[in-house]
Amino acid sequence: MTTQAHVIKTRMPDPAPSPEALLEQVHAALEEMKAKDAVEIDVRGKTSIADYLVVVSGTSTRHVKSVADEVVKFSKKCGVMPLGVEGEREAEWVLVDLGDVIVHVMLPRVREFYALERLWTVGDQPPEQSPEDSPES
């Protein structure tokens, strides 16, 4: 027996909110749910999948799921339906794809293991100078 994939047809409101307006709703949801250690990463020019990634921690699987649910609820306030939500069953890492903004809600140990912040910010900082490279005083 073959099963067909469940296809969700979503449309952005017209006019669509700016990525920055969507980010405001995401941050409001994260604040409302007391999510931990939110990091916003500007990925414009690095990928075409989104303009911003937001990585945040939850304190338990229940908290991770609740934070992700709140992000969905707040994004709907500005007319945006998620393009997808993944990982809700295990709730160790829930991804909420809002188009221009992708939110990763993770347990701290999962966040540390995958290190998305380091992955997406490699090369953003100037290389550190070693002592022999620095000019003499």
Side-chain angles (χ1 to χ4, degrees), residues 12-45:
M12 293 297 274
D14 189 21
S18 70
E20 292 74 21
L22 193 50
L23 266 177
E24 275 184 40
Q25 290 300 319
V26 167
H27 285 296
L30 299 178
E31 195 172 302
E32 179 77 20
M33 294 304 298
K34 297 182 177 17
K36 307 285 185 199
D37 306 319
V39 174
E40 178 183 305
I41 305 167
D42 185 340
V43 293
R44 293 173 294 185

Side-chain angles (χ1 to χ4, degrees), residues 17 21 30-31 38 40 44 46 55 57 84 124 132 135:
L30 299 178
E31 195 172 302
E40 178 183 305
R44 293 173 294 185
K46 293 181 182 180
V55 183
S57 294
D124 286 355
E132 56 271 359

Side-chain angles (χ1 to χ4, degrees), residues 55-66:
V55 183
V56 63
S57 294
T59 56
S60 66
T61 54
R62 179 173 286 174
H63 189 224
V64 166
K65 181 162 181 4
S66 296

